[in-house]
Amino acid sequence: MAACAFCVACPENVFAATAKGPVDAGDLSGFVREGVYDSMAQSQGFFLISSKGKLYATSSTCTHKANQVLIDSENHGQLKCEKHGSLFSLDGKVVKPPAKKSLPRFGIKVDAKKHVIVDPTRRFEEASWNDPGSFLKLA
């Protein structure tokens, strides 16, 4: 698509916000049900995803041209960049280009009040998704 070369300058471009430091996402008990929690996708730049006994924070910024990624309205089991159509699985892997890189995950921990704290300044690329601090184990 020829217009893609001009996307950065396009006034219609909607870039995802990214928090500049740790974000209190709320009480851990609010994320035990499996699924995608998108309340912070636009304002803070991440989804919280509960899957297979883990909770992780995945970027809501497409790796293709840095546009907003949303839950796919046609397939709730995927994330979609509305600008160019890249599709990602819920674990952040590319399902359909033009994006070539998986969505990064952000640092995540539980504080003394049992609140989930997400730190977008700590990025985990796909090769590090099993590293400590890239996910929380859910009981």
Side-chain angles (χ1 to χ4, degrees):
M1 194 183 308
C4 288
F6 302 103
C7 287
V8 173
C10 179
E12 295 178 9
N13 213 353
V14 179
F15 291 102
T18 301
K20 304 293 186 242
V23 175
D24 185 335
D27 195 279
L28 178 61
S29 65
F31 303 106
V32 293
R33 183 180 50 82
E34 287 217 354
V36 180
Y37 298 86
D38 65 348
S39 64
M40 300 207 175
Q42 290 185 7
S43 64
Q44 302 295 336
F46 62 85
F47 297 100
L48 283 166
I49 300 175
S50 178
S51 177
K52 300 176 185 167
K54 292 182 179 180
L55 180 68
Y56 46 91
T58 298
S59 174
S60 61
T61 302
C62 186
T63 56
H64 172 237
K65 295 280 185 178
N67 290 286
Q68 179 75 44
V69 173
L70 305 169
I71 298 171
D72 186 358
S73 60
E74 296 170 14
N75 179 353
H76 295 289
Q78 293 182 332
L79 305 172
K80 181 177 184 179
C81 175
E82 294 296 323
K83 191 72 172 178
H84 301 111
S86 292
L87 288 176
F88 301 88
S89 62
L90 291 185
D91 64 1
K93 293 180 182 176
V94 176
V95 173
K96 179 182 158 225
K100 295 177 181 164
K101 286 181 62 179
S102 297
L103 298 170
R105 294 184 184 171
F106 298 140
I108 189 168
K109 66 181 181 178
V110 176
D111 70 7
K113 297 183 289 185
K114 300 225 183 267
H115 279 215
V116 174
I117 307 297
V118 175
D119 186 354
T121 66
R122 292 186 58 217
R123 293 172 59 99
F124 294 86
E125 301 301 330
E126 185 176 355
S128 302
W129 284 356
N130 289 318
D131 289 0
S134 67
F135 66 92
L136 294 173
K137 280 193 171 191
L138 299 172

